[in-house]
Amino acid sequence: MDPVSNDIDHHQMDISIETKAVADLNARVGDLQMEGGDMLLDDYDPVDDKPDVAIITPEDSAEEKEPETLANDYDLMKPKVLTQLQDLETESETVHTWELEDWRNQPRKARGPIFECGGHPWRVLLFPFGNNVDFASLYLEQGYEEGNQKPPEGWYACVQFTLVLWNKHDPSIYTLHTANHRFNAEESDWGFTRFAEIRKLFAPQWEDKGRPMVENDAVNISAYVRIYKDPTGVLWHNFVNYNSKKETGMVGLKNQGATCYLNSLLQSLYFTNAFRKAVYQIPTENESERKQSASAWALQRLFYQLQANDEAVSTQELTLSFGWETKHIFEQQDVQELSRILMERMEERMKGTGAENALAKMFVGRMKTYISCINVDYESSRVEDFWDIQLNVSGNKCLDDSFKDYVQVETMDGENKYFAEGYGLQDAKKGVIFESFPQVLHLQLKRFEYDINRDAMMKVNDRYEFPEIFDASPYLSDTADKSEPYIYKLHGVLVHSGDFNAGHYYAFLKPTADGYFYKFDDDRVTRATMKEALEENFGGDYANLHGNMGVRNPYTRTLSTKRSMSAYMLVYIRQSREQGILHDVSEEDTPHHLAKQLKEERAAIERRRKEREEQHLYLTLGVITEDNFKAYQGFDLTTWDTEAEGESVPKTYRVLRSSTLGDFAKTLAESMNLPAEQVRLWIMVNRQNKTIRPDQPLTDVDMSIEDAYNKYGGRDKSFRLWVEKASEIEDGKPVWPEAPQSIGSNNAPLLVFLKYFDAAAQSLKGVGHIYVKKHFKVAEMVPMITQLMDWTHGTSSVPNGLTNGVTSPPALALYEEIKHSMIEPMKPKATLAMAEIQDGDIVCFQKVLSEKESSTISQTGGYTDAREFYDYLLNRKTVTFSPRYGQEDEGEAFKLDLSRKMSYEQFSAKVGEHLKVEPTHLRFSTVSATTGKAKGTIKRSANQNLSQILYPQFGTYGNNNQRDDILYYEVLEISLSELDTKKNLKVTWVTEGVSKEETFEILVPRLGTVRDLLPGLQKKANIDNETLGNVRIYEAHGSKVYKELSADHSTGTLSEFTTLYAEMIPEEERNAEEGDTAIYCYHFDKESNKPHGVPFKFLVRPGELFKDTKVRLSKRIGLKGKQFDKIKFAVVQRSMYSKPIYLADDDVLADIASSPDDLLGIDHVNRSRGLGGKGDSIFIR
């Protein structure tokens, strides 16, 4: 586009301009005066103040001047103003000219005549006085909206157009602008708000042409229009309201932050239909199976949602099942490593199912590494499985070049001869050859390499071609089975755009054998052309830069002449097995329980959505019944905690605001299998003492729920009701206790709730309610209680609690529950009025115990007085006790209800009773809220109670990040008193190379030996006897090995702060050959005096090139792929300020590290720095 026209706008069709504004614009043009055929501006200075310029005559010109193109020569103008766009096919094109007369009298928006192109109507839209600017505004507009006509549903057109404004008397005078746009019903016009400045259009001459552009108030406007075919359906699409499912039948995956690499891999595996079917066969129907196979269950759910959902699917559930935290979500990881770990986890879960070995049959090939002697008949070879192949990009132009490089034969001669057993040193050939390729071939292209000049990992953006059809047979051994062709067809291209430090991942995949490629870019799926899937991801230089500095990388914001997007992983499917791999996944292949559960979840989501929409029509009510009260043990009538569970929890109801109290009472009665008239509702109020009690019955059954809420609802916007059930029926009608008129309000019956404290059972629960008159004495409640509890026999029933009960010697002790911290004994001779009892109050009673009964209960740690039990409830704390090291023989986690006032001895006795062990053999630790690991061991103290341990203010345990609901326990083999004779040592058990570590605390005799560590380590790390025999223990200072400790080394020299590591001696060390030596290794970050991580010992072989040593190091460290490629290695002397000597692949470690003080330094980023924990490579739990 002409740089002058840099503001292509979709003009605002609905801008309202007042009449005066239009008049002002007309007046400005009216100031233009016609003189001698020229249009002049008032006060226009005709003097040309431009500097003199040299006039070059045709004789002075070296070349003949190209003839000027005229605006009315449409055939010649069209190729100049409407350049054919590369790789796009023209559907239709046309040229139309609007001969505009009387410019000054045009309306604010003038439209030209309709013309046709591609079967669609078009016209030119002109704002002669500007669209809110001092420029004439010119647009191309679809003409469907002429009159009442509407564009066809879903209509669009991809249009390249040029608008040319030219002088009808002199066609050499013209100006033009060009644009591309996707026209549709929403974006019906497109063009140029600042097409040409109005002042210049009416100037006496246009760009020294001798006459104006708009002459005699007339001008011509030509529209050159070309409509292109849209092969993908998204050409020039702005993706507003784009629906992937509607357009492609597929949905994408949401990006959680930096999970685009995960999304591209998951889509690739999903569209490998045989893999999806195999995953569906993992058993997950039972809850126990889902817990055991959490990642498989989450992957099944994700795959089914990709099948069934209409919108993009979240991967959050899957990453949670992996055990990833937020920091992992925002770290881009190595796709090859992630793919391999995911395959391993799925393969583990497929064992014993119909899908066992399905992945190996699908993805595993075999390769042979060999050394073959040239002059004698001897070959040493090893055949191994592979799941993917890593191919070099650097130095290779195409896929075939990389395979040739991979199987290249190396000759071992001269000083590098091979020692063949029985033949001595021999000339030999060394290399790799393939024995078979899998049905699905994953090729990892090494786009990231370490640049020694920049001392950093860099992306290789060189051009690297790969074909749609690939023949792998040239890279097979002569003995390989070639009865079936090894012809592969491209199925997927996973792309990285950006550089090593910043970028984005997406994938081009071909879901069906004979279908199209589609681009899967996170939540958006679009159809792609073959060129977009292949050639545009070869990398290399951009074509047709035309002298520009380059193309701006959207992720690094830098200009580059090389493409930043390039393939980093290719997926090929063996052509002869394509139908089996891509066979449709039917409903029968999908687990029925999976489809059922997700259908129910979608229905629940839809129900909640509908509830939100209708929320203003409903009111939420909390309802408590007598059954809730009887099942509750605690303060007040019940708990209103929304997270509580059980029979004591009140139910909540969504009720139409317009319905009546009578309607709601009927609903409740039906749920209780009662007639509606036998149910009465009481409003519950929030008292000042922070209790919630019934206050008065709601007698107006015709009152609406809305009115009742406005009248009785609490300040906290709550609306709670108590449901009373009639206990007496007369003549088919319920009898509710009402105060007789003769009694008067001074002696009206009061609603009193009763709780029974059972000292023998150590329980406090509601038993029901009674009605008692105000002037009755407290003692007169006793017979009513005994009858309610059925502790008397032969007495007539008490109708609704109304009685003139006979006072008898109290067998019960009564207390009023005023609030949670105030339980007061009631005086038997006082009246209820004197005791200030009112409707809804709670009276607690208990049997009076004999001294013997009290003594028996006290001896078992129970409470004999209701007030003591209330105090226990007030200080009750549910504490989880979990085995510290999670060993099965230590038992499972359990919960106990304890009092915060309990001493160490008291709560340890409770735990010992539960575990059936001596409390003297129990040791407890607090728990970190951040890591979930033990913080510190709790020491016995007579002055410290459970509350001080769980909620420390300061001191020994500190309250930073400490959980207040859990303690770890250990069952010791010795008592705590005997423990004082022992020493606690921390030993870190290192596995999986040195990539995984667990720290254990082990008790040893203060004057024991290292040998005493081993039994404790074996138990806590779950080490078998064979492994234990090959365990070594070494001491480290400053992340470097200080010395190895023999079994007889005294523990007296070790303290609890000594860093000790234990590991199984690697097999290669146990089988070391003569001449092999060892070197201690440590990690550092750029500077050798900044060590970190776990140091270790490593076997050094004489004469071994370091590129081969690195293969062993990768296994020893437990890292591979991109993570390992980032590491640099150097020989460093033990002294603090020694300079590291970095190693190249052709170096020999044994020759360079010759001094006993030499260490092998491993230079890589310290990921644990500032992260509060070890920064491991990617993992799936």
Side-chain angles (χ1 to χ4, degrees):
M1 187 183 303
D2 191 315
V4 174
S5 60
N6 58 2
D7 56 342
I8 303 177
D9 303 303
H10 177 205
H11 86 85
Q12 303 298 316
M13 298 292 291
D14 299 323
I15 296 174
S16 60
I17 304 295
E18 296 182 6
T19 306
K20 183 179 182 300
V22 175
D24 290 343
L25 286 168
N26 281 324
R28 288 169 56 199
V29 179
D31 290 338
L32 300 170
Q33 305 296 326
M34 297 291 295
E35 291 186 16
D38 294 329
M39 298 186 71
L40 298 177
L41 289 167
D42 283 349
D43 302 323
Y44 178 78
D45 186 359
V47 178
D48 189 353
D49 57 357
K50 294 181 181 178
D52 293 336
V53 295
I55 300 174
I56 301 176
T57 64
E59 289 78 14
D60 297 327
S61 178
E63 297 180 5
E64 187 175 342
K65 191 175 181 181
E66 185 179 344
E68 188 174 20
T69 305
L70 302 180
N72 61 354
D73 190 344
Y74 303 124
D75 292 336
L76 197 57
M77 279 285 286
K78 185 169 68 173
K80 290 191 175 184
V81 303
L82 213 58
T83 307
Q84 177 72 35
L85 298 180
Q86 192 176 3
D87 301 322
L88 291 178
E89 184 181 350
T90 300
E91 180 180 314
S92 180
E93 58 184 30
T94 192
V95 181
H96 168 77
T97 299
W98 174 19
E99 296 182 357
L100 178 66
E101 303 287 345
D102 201 11
W103 179 292
R104 287 182 298 173
N105 293 323
Q106 293 295 325
R108 176 180 170 270
K109 287 193 292 188
R111 289 182 168 88
I114 297 284
F115 63 94
E116 185 270 338
C117 183
H120 313 302
W122 304 93
R123 60 189 173 192
V124 174
L125 171 63
L126 170 68
F127 285 69
F129 313 115
N131 188 4
N132 291 337
V133 291
D134 292 331
F135 290 73
S137 305
L138 206 55
Y139 307 90
L140 179 67
E141 180 184 51
Q142 54 92 347
Y144 276 113
E145 297 182 2
E146 182 74 24
N148 294 324
Q149 191 179 7
K150 295 290 183 184
E153 185 176 352
W155 172 84
Y156 73 91
C158 299
V159 181
Q160 177 192 23
F161 64 95
T162 299
L163 299 178
V164 184
L165 190 72
W166 55 284
N167 186 306
K168 62 189 302 181
H169 303 294
D170 184 354
S172 67
I173 301 175
Y174 60 84
T175 184
L176 60 88
H177 294 306
T178 303
N180 309 323
H181 185 59
R182 183 187 184 93
F183 287 84
N184 53 43
E186 288 74 32
E187 296 187 351
S188 58
D189 57 82
W190 199 259
F192 315 94
T193 299
R194 290 177 170 81
F195 187 88
E197 195 173 355
I198 296 174
R199 179 180 61 83
K200 291 183 178 180
L201 290 176
F202 291 96
Q205 56 178 341
W206 175 268
E207 295 181 352
D208 300 328
K209 292 287 187 176
R211 53 201 311 172
M213 175 67 76
V214 180
E215 187 174 356
N216 296 329
D217 226 12
V219 72
N220 285 352
I221 303 173
S222 293
Y224 293 79
V225 179
R226 177 179 292 142
I227 299 177
Y228 287 106
K229 292 181 179 179
D230 183 6
T232 62
V234 291
L235 180 63
W236 303 331
H237 206 302
N238 62 10
F239 295 104
V240 174
N241 299 323
Y242 179 78
N243 187 318
S244 294
K245 186 78 170 186
K246 179 182 176 182
E247 301 297 334
T248 66
M250 295 166 284
V251 296
L253 293 168
K254 296 177 183 176
N255 192 332
Q256 294 187 55
T259 56
C260 48
Y261 72 97
L262 173 67
N263 292 350
S264 61
L265 176 65
L266 289 173
Q267 291 281 21
S268 171
L269 294 174
Y270 171 79
F271 285 107
T272 308
N273 293 355
F275 175 82
R276 196 190 332 166
K277 287 183 181 180
V279 169
Y280 281 155
Q281 292 183 55
I282 298 174
T284 55
E285 189 166 2
N286 301 324
E287 192 65 33
S288 59
E289 293 172 336
R290 294 173 190 173
K291 287 182 179 179
Q292 188 178 2
S293 309
S295 54
W297 170 239
L299 189 60
Q300 285 181 348
R301 288 172 57 86
L302 180 83
F303 279 178
Y304 186 78
Q305 288 176 86
L306 284 172
Q307 282 178 213
N309 276 23
D310 293 328
E311 297 178 349
V313 179
S314 171
T315 57
Q316 188 172 14
E317 186 180 341
L318 182 67
T319 54
L320 284 173
S321 76
F322 289 172
W324 292 4
E325 300 172 4
T326 304
K327 67 177 183 179
H328 300 115
I329 298 301
F330 289 92
E331 289 178 358
Q332 287 191 350
Q333 301 287 352
D334 181 49
V335 174
Q336 180 195 16
E337 188 178 3
L338 173 64
S339 173
R340 188 68 199 95
I341 295 173
L342 184 60
M343 294 282 193
E344 287 175 358
R345 294 293 177 270
M346 294 304 109
E347 200 175 25
E348 288 171 7
R349 302 307 174 201
M350 290 175 187
K351 289 180 180 177
T353 72
E356 186 169 2
N357 295 323
L359 300 191
K361 292 176 183 176
M362 206 181 312
F363 295 102
V364 172
R366 294 177 68 78
M367 69 169 69
K368 181 174 75 172
T369 305
Y370 66 89
I371 300 177
S372 179
C373 294
I374 297 173
N375 301 316
V376 297
D377 186 16
Y378 182 88
E379 180 179 285
S380 172
S381 63
R382 183 177 70 254
V383 177
E384 297 176 309
D385 291 344
F386 69 86
W387 289 76
D388 50 42
I389 304 172
Q390 279 194 310
L391 298 174
N392 288 323
V393 172
S394 185
N396 296 306
K397 293 183 178 179
C398 62
L399 192 61
D400 277 306
D401 285 354
S402 289
F403 267 96
K404 290 173 185 175
D405 176 54
Y406 200 93
V407 300
Q408 184 178 1
V409 177
E410 175 189 351
T411 301
M412 302 176 70
D413 55 11
E415 294 181 357
N416 194 30
K417 286 187 177 183
Y418 174 67
F419 182 82
E421 189 175 350
Y423 295 96
L425 293 173
Q426 294 288 331
D427 292 342
K429 292 182 177 179
K430 178 182 177 182
V432 173
I433 195 71
F434 293 95
E435 293 293 330
S436 68
F437 288 104
Q439 299 178 56
V440 181
L441 182 60
H442 280 185
L443 302 178
Q444 307 286 344
L445 307 183
K446 295 169 73 172
R447 281 285 181 185
F448 300 98
E449 289 186 350
Y450 175 70
D451 188 327
I452 196 167
N453 295 319
R454 293 184 173 91
D455 189 24
M457 291 293 292
M458 301 295 293
K459 184 178 179 184
V460 180
N461 282 318
D462 298 345
R463 183 176 177 84
Y464 181 88
E465 298 180 7
F466 48 90
E468 183 184 5
I469 304 294
F470 169 63
D471 184 1
S473 57
Y475 313 108
L476 288 166
S477 70
D478 295 335
T479 58
D481 180 9
K482 301 180 183 177
S483 58
E484 186 179 334
Y486 278 93
I487 304 295
Y488 284 83
K489 195 172 178 182
L490 187 65
H491 172 68
V493 182
L494 277 64
V495 180
H496 177 267
S497 176
D499 65 9
F500 179 76
N501 298 306
H504 179 57
Y505 293 84
Y506 49 91
F508 290 91
L509 299 168
K510 195 175 180 184
T512 59
D514 301 320
Y516 300 103
F517 273 98
Y518 289 84
K519 182 180 179 182
F520 294 82
D521 189 353
D522 286 337
D523 56 359
R524 183 185 298 160
V525 184
T526 56
R527 186 178 152 189
T529 63
M530 187 66 72
K531 181 181 179 183
E532 288 173 328
L534 273 77
E535 187 177 335
E536 291 189 3
N537 299 307
F538 288 165
D541 294 330
Y542 283 103
N544 305 320
L545 283 178
H546 302 299
N548 291 331
M549 295 294 291
V551 176
R552 188 172 297 279
N553 185 321
Y555 305 103
T556 62
R557 312 304 300 166
T558 57
L559 293 172
S560 175
T561 58
K562 285 186 178 291
R563 293 180 181 271
S564 66
M565 68 289 289
S566 52
Y568 71 93
M569 177 176 167
L570 305 175
V571 181
Y572 281 93
I573 297 178
R574 196 172 180 181
Q575 204 165 24
S576 57
R577 306 291 180 92
E578 191 175 36
Q579 293 303 320
I581 297 296
L582 299 181
H583 191 273
D584 288 343
V585 180
S586 64
E587 282 296 323
E588 287 70 27
D589 298 316
T590 306
H592 296 298
H593 65 274
L594 175 65
K596 180 183 177 183
Q597 179 168 346
L598 288 172
K599 185 178 180 180
E600 290 172 353
E601 289 176 5
R602 282 197 295 271
I605 291 171
E606 179 61 25
R607 186 168 60 252
R608 287 194 295 270
R609 183 195 63 78
K610 189 175 180 181
E611 286 176 359
R612 285 195 300 270
E613 289 179 354
E614 299 176 349
Q615 192 170 4
H616 64 287
L617 301 175
Y618 288 84
L619 192 66
T620 301
L621 278 68
V623 177
I624 177 176
T625 65
E626 192 134 307
D627 291 336
N628 300 136
F629 173 59
K630 290 179 178 180
Y632 178 63
Q633 175 165 287
F635 298 103
D636 220 343
L637 297 178
T638 188
T639 177
W640 297 95
D641 184 357
T642 56
E643 296 182 1
E645 297 178 353
E647 296 179 5
S648 64
V649 178
K651 288 186 178 180
T652 56
Y653 295 84
R654 285 181 80 244
V655 185
L656 274 170
R657 292 173 179 265
S658 57
S659 63
T660 64
L661 290 171
D663 295 334
F664 184 53
K666 184 178 179 181
T667 301
L668 291 174
E670 288 175 357
S671 68
M672 300 166 69
N673 296 318
L674 292 171
E677 58 270 12
Q678 292 187 29
V679 167
R680 182 164 70 163
L681 302 178
W682 284 66
I683 187 66
M684 300 191 74
V685 297
N686 299 324
R687 294 185 177 180
Q688 290 184 351
N689 60 8
K690 298 184 179 179
T691 61
I692 303 172
R693 304 287 174 83
D695 183 63
Q696 59 178 299
L698 299 175
T699 56
D700 185 0
V701 294
D702 295 324
M703 180 183 288
S704 71
I705 296 292
E706 175 83 20
D707 292 341
Y709 170 72
N710 292 333
K711 185 174 182 179
Y712 302 112
R715 292 182 180 178
D716 58 353
K717 297 184 179 180
S718 61
F719 193 35
R720 303 184 179 101
L721 301 172
W722 176 60
V723 183
E724 182 183 11
K725 185 168 58 175
S727 58
E728 183 184 7
I729 307 295
E730 288 184 2
D731 299 328
K733 295 184 179 181
V735 177
W736 300 109
E738 298 288 347
Q741 296 298 323
S742 59
I743 296 176
S745 61
N746 289 332
N747 198 25
L750 297 172
L751 171 66
V752 177
F753 289 90
L754 298 173
K755 285 184 180 180
Y756 171 47
F757 169 57
D758 187 346
Q762 292 292 290
S763 65
L764 175 72
K765 290 190 176 181
V767 294
H769 70 281
I770 60 175
Y771 282 92
V772 188
K773 294 179 179 177
K774 279 187 177 182
H775 292 166
F776 274 32
K777 294 180 180 179
V778 171
E780 293 180 273
M781 295 173 61
V782 174
M784 302 162 69
I785 294 172
T786 55
Q787 189 167 342
L788 184 67
M789 297 297 292
D790 199 23
W791 287 340
T792 60
H793 302 283
T795 309
S796 59
S797 60
V798 181
N800 285 319
L802 288 178
T803 178
N804 294 324
V806 180
T807 305
S808 61
L812 303 175
L814 277 65
Y815 306 88
E816 182 188 358
E817 181 188 316
I818 300 172
K819 59 180 181 179
H820 66 277
S821 59
M822 189 179 293
I823 313 299
E824 297 291 343
M826 300 182 73
K827 297 177 182 179
K829 295 183 179 180
T831 64
L832 270 64
M834 293 169 60
E836 297 182 351
I837 299 297
Q838 60 185 20
D839 280 322
D841 280 355
I842 298 173
V843 171
C844 172
F845 63 91
Q846 74 171 96
K847 290 181 180 179
V848 177
L849 302 175
S850 66
E851 290 186 11
K852 183 178 179 181
E853 289 173 326
S854 297
S855 177
T856 303
I857 294 171
S858 298
Q859 286 176 2
T860 60
Y863 302 96
T864 59
D865 187 283
R867 288 169 294 183
E868 294 176 353
F869 193 77
Y870 269 107
D871 184 69
Y872 157 71
L873 293 179
L874 180 62
N875 292 285
R876 181 173 55 180
K877 175 70 177 177
T878 301
V879 182
T880 300
F881 291 89
S882 180
R884 180 166 180 176
Y885 298 108
Q887 299 298 330
E888 292 182 3
D889 57 350
E890 291 184 351
E892 297 181 351
F894 59 92
K895 294 182 179 181
L896 290 179
D897 287 335
L898 305 172
S899 171
R900 292 182 177 89
K901 292 183 176 181
M902 279 183 170
S903 66
Y904 182 97
E905 302 296 341
Q906 287 175 320
F907 79 75
S908 64
K910 289 283 188 183
V911 176
E913 181 183 348
H914 178 89
L915 294 172
K916 295 181 174 57
V917 298
E918 290 293 331
T920 55
H921 286 57
L922 288 172
R923 184 167 66 169
F924 302 96
S925 305
T926 54
V927 181
S928 168
T930 305
T931 64
K933 295 180 180 179
K935 286 195 67 177
T937 303
I938 300 171
K939 295 179 180 179
R940 287 179 299 169
S941 172
N943 299 323
Q944 195 173 38
N945 58 31
L946 182 61
S947 179
Q948 291 168 326
I949 291 171
L950 295 176
Y951 306 95
Q953 298 302 313
F954 49 82
T956 307
Y957 310 110
N959 61 340
N960 293 331
N961 293 325
Q962 179 181 313
R963 295 267 307 263
D964 62 2
D965 60 346
I966 185 171
L967 293 174
Y968 285 146
Y969 70 87
E970 299 171 79
V971 180
L972 304 177
E973 296 178 356
I974 57 176
S975 66
L976 291 174
S977 57
E978 190 182 350
L979 181 64
D980 294 337
T981 65
K982 302 284 185 179
K983 174 184 287 189
N984 190 40
L985 296 179
K986 290 183 179 179
V987 181
T988 300
W989 174 240
V990 181
T991 55
E992 295 184 13
V994 291
S995 64
K996 185 178 180 182
E997 50 188 284
E998 288 182 278
T999 301
F1000 304 107
E1001 292 184 2
I1002 301 173
L1003 292 170
V1004 296
R1006 290 186 179 275
L1007 299 177
T1009 64
V1010 169
R1011 185 179 286 105
D1012 297 323
L1013 271 173
L1014 297 177
L1017 178 65
Q1018 180 179 21
K1019 181 179 179 181
K1020 293 188 175 183
N1022 198 21
I1023 302 171
D1024 57 60
N1025 291 328
E1026 183 181 352
T1027 302
L1028 189 67
N1030 293 311
V1031 168
R1032 70 163 159 235
I1033 296 176
Y1034 54 96
E1035 182 180 349
H1037 293 177
S1039 295
K1040 295 180 183 178
V1041 176
Y1042 175 63
K1043 63 180 176 182
E1044 293 183 50
L1045 303 180
S1046 66
D1048 296 324
H1049 186 90
S1050 172
T1051 57
T1053 62
L1054 306 176
S1055 74
E1056 61 178 315
F1057 304 108
T1058 303
T1059 303
L1060 297 176
Y1061 291 100
E1063 67 166 352
M1064 185 177 76
I1065 301 172
E1067 185 179 355
E1068 65 176 10
E1069 274 192 57
R1070 300 199 301 270
N1071 300 325
E1073 300 176 358
E1074 186 178 350
D1076 290 347
T1077 58
I1079 189 171
Y1080 289 125
C1081 307
Y1082 81 101
H1083 307 263
F1084 68 90
D1085 189 349
K1086 295 183 180 178
E1087 298 177 26
S1088 60
N1089 62 346
K1090 293 182 178 179
H1092 63 88
V1094 180
F1096 60 95
K1097 189 177 182 180
F1098 181 67
L1099 186 74
V1100 179
R1101 290 176 175 164
E1104 182 182 57
L1105 293 177
F1106 194 65
K1107 66 177 181 179
D1108 298 321
T1109 305
K1110 286 201 298 186
V1111 176
R1112 294 192 297 113
L1113 274 167
S1114 174
K1115 184 178 180 182
R1116 183 75 172 91
I1117 297 173
L1119 291 178
K1120 58 184 180 180
K1122 191 165 72 174
Q1123 293 279 353
F1124 186 78
D1125 292 341
K1126 299 176 186 178
I1127 297 174
K1128 295 183 288 181
F1129 298 90
V1131 172
V1132 188
Q1133 287 192 338
R1134 190 176 284 275
S1135 60
M1136 182 175 290
Y1137 298 105
S1138 60
K1139 185 177 180 181
I1141 302 170
Y1142 284 93
L1143 299 170
D1145 283 354
D1146 55 357
D1147 286 333
V1148 176
L1149 178 60
D1151 296 341
I1152 298 175
S1154 55
S1155 169
D1157 286 337
D1158 284 339
L1159 304 174
L1160 179 60
I1162 304 170
D1163 182 1
H1164 62 100
V1165 175
N1166 178 8
R1167 289 188 177 271
S1168 64
R1169 181 180 57 203
L1171 294 176
K1174 180 171 166 51
D1176 292 330
S1177 59
I1178 197 166
F1179 65 92
I1180 296 178
R1181 184 168 57 196

